[in-house]
Every structure is written in C-alpha cells, then in structure tokens.
Amino acid sequence: MKRPSLFAVFLVCSVFTAGICHAQAHVAAAHDLLQIGIAAYNQKDYATAFQKISEAADQGDSRAQSWLGVMYQIGQGVPRNLDEAVTWYRKSADQGDADGQVRLAIMYSSGRGIPRNDDEAVVWYRKSADQGNAAAQFDLGMMYVNGRGVPFDAHEAATWYRKAADQGFDQAEFNLGIMYGTGRGVPKDANEAAVLIRQAAEQHLPVAQYTLARLYRGGLGVPQDFHEAAEWYRKAAAQGMVAAQNELNAMSGADRNAP
C-alpha cells in the first residue's frame, strides 16, 4: 500500500487547521461585535447597539440573538416587533442559551408574539432552569404554584423557589418566605420566613419591605419592634407603596393618642 507523501499530509493538516482558525476568528468577530453592541446599549446609543448586535446575531452568536430579541421586544434601535423578538429568542434558545430559553418561555406564557402555550412555556423554563438561570427557576416555581402547564404542586414550587433564592433572586426569596410563613409546600417556620423576607427587603423589593414591617409590628419570626416596623414601612412607602404609608400614618396616630 502506497503511503501518502509528507507534502500531502502537510497539505491536509494545513487545510484542516485553517478551517479551525477560520471558525475561531468567526466566533471572535461575533463576540467582539456583541461587546461593542452591549457597550453602546449601556450608553443608550440604541442605533449602534442594534447594528452591532444584529451583525453578531447574523453570525449565529446565541447571546447576541437573545439580546436582539430584547431590542425587538422593547423597540430599542428598531420598531417594536414581537414576532421578530420571538424569532430571535427561538434561534438563541435552540442553541441552548439559557437567557434565550427563559425569554422564549415568557413569550409563550404571556401569549406575546406567539399564541399562549403553557406546556411549551414549561418546556423552555425547565431547560433554562436546569442550566441554573434564577429567573427561569422562579418562573417555573410560579407555574407549579398556579398549575399552569404542570399540575399544581406547592412542594415542587418551593423547590424551584429555593434554587432561585439561593442565587439571591429577590422575588423567589419573598415567595419562599411567604410559603414558610403559611406552611404551604414546606414546614411552617416563622423564623425562616422572616430570614427570607428580610433578604428580599434588603434588595429593595417593596412588598418584602412592607411585609417585614408587619412581621416586626406583630413579632412574627422576629422580636416585636415598632421602631423597626416603622423603618421598613418608611422604605416601602418611599417606593410608592400606599399601604405602607397608611400603616405609618396609623402608627403615628396611635402614638399621638397614647395616654
């Protein structure tokens, strides 16, 4: 059997290596375009952002495709077009991008740009959640709580809330705290409820600040402390929560009427 010449082997290897280098350069170009686009986006230069992100998306960059979907959904640098947003989210999601997957799931669950389909929403939420996306984990928990696309299951909801809460997702911290406070899906535990609600409150979630104030006022899971209650009511009220301002007014009125 005739052995291939060294030149032939070199030629084949050179062609193969050139193909790899070309692919790497292609990826690098898309990555660089995306970074330029994101920088422009952060500067509110949406026209430049759209141009650069579009170029990266056209090269197949999954992150750029997800970003481009956002720009179409909101209407930044381009007229708002929910159909186009869904198209780009799907391209991103099909490549396994967790952000693209959760965004496609949201479109399915809300029926925006595509007919509402809870079963499909759950499929994409789960794909993203399994990759550790905290927003998807929270939303999947919500689907279990509401029995949308899956049977109602409070325990499963709490499991997904916990995964998101462990990543510091404020809404998941709050929802899980409420579940501990009521014993829904988890053993009732006022102390754990207060811990989780405080974590969400410290991230400036108004409903968590308001709820934490109520816990301090009633001494539920925390020592009763009217000063702390007023402080958290004040924080929630500063963010426009009318109920918190009403509670503050009631507390002030009670102080004035005290003997």
Side-chain angles (χ1 to χ4, degrees):
M1 179 178 178
K2 186 177 179 181
R3 298 175 62 189
S5 68
L6 289 177
F7 175 76
V9 172
F10 173 76
L11 182 61
V12 171
C13 290
S14 296
V15 171
F16 179 71
T17 303
I20 293 175
C21 290
H22 177 74
Q24 289 175 336
H26 186 76
V27 171
H31 173 78
D32 291 344
L33 285 167
L34 176 59
Q35 295 310 308
I36 294 169
I38 291 173
Y41 184 95
N42 290 335
Q43 294 294 321
K44 299 187 180 347
D45 180 0
Y46 298 127
T48 300
F50 179 78
Q51 177 189 349
K52 299 302 180 184
I53 291 172
S54 292
E55 290 177 25
D58 286 337
Q59 290 185 32
D61 187 284
S62 61
R63 286 188 62 221
Q65 290 167 343
S66 180
W67 268 89
L68 189 57
V70 170
M71 297 193 77
Y72 271 112
Q73 183 177 348
I74 300 174
Q76 293 172 314
V78 66
R80 188 168 185 257
N81 188 324
L82 296 182
D83 292 341
E84 276 294 308
V86 169
T87 295
W88 287 105
Y89 289 153
R90 188 177 299 283
K91 289 178 184 289
S92 175
D94 283 343
Q95 292 197 72
D97 185 86
D99 287 336
Q101 290 168 342
V102 70
R103 287 167 179 160
L104 180 60
I106 291 169
M107 301 301 269
Y108 269 118
S109 65
S110 63
R112 290 191 293 172
I114 196 168
R116 176 173 158 173
N117 188 324
D118 289 344
D119 292 340
E120 276 294 307
V122 167
V123 167
W124 291 107
Y125 278 137
R126 194 178 302 280
K127 287 179 182 291
S128 183
D130 284 342
Q131 292 193 65
N133 185 287
Q137 291 167 343
F138 170 75
D139 285 338
L140 186 55
M142 290 288 288
M143 298 299 275
Y144 276 105
V145 162
N146 294 311
R148 290 182 54 191
V150 288
F152 166 79
D153 190 329
H155 175 73
E156 191 69 14
T159 298
W160 287 107
Y161 284 158
R162 172 62 71 182
K163 290 177 184 292
D166 286 345
Q167 296 191 65
F169 197 84
D170 57 358
Q171 292 172 296
E173 291 168 338
F174 176 72
N175 283 21
L176 186 58
I178 294 298
M179 294 183 85
Y180 272 106
T182 59
R184 187 184 186 197
V186 291
K188 190 171 183 177
D189 187 332
N191 293 331
E192 182 66 9
V195 167
L196 287 160
I197 291 168
R198 174 181 286 278
Q199 288 173 356
E202 288 175 346
Q203 293 194 68
H204 313 293
L205 187 67
V207 67
Q209 294 171 335
Y210 171 77
T211 305
L212 184 59
R214 289 178 63 86
L215 295 183
Y216 272 112
R217 193 172 182 184
L220 302 171
V222 290
Q224 189 175 53
D225 189 325
F226 293 111
H227 175 73
E228 276 292 309
E231 284 298 307
W232 286 107
Y233 278 141
R234 201 167 285 117
K235 290 177 187 290
Q239 296 198 68
M241 181 163 277
V242 175
Q245 186 60 56
N246 291 339
E247 294 284 352
L248 269 175
N249 293 340
M251 290 180 72
S252 298
D255 289 342
R256 286 193 300 268
N257 295 329

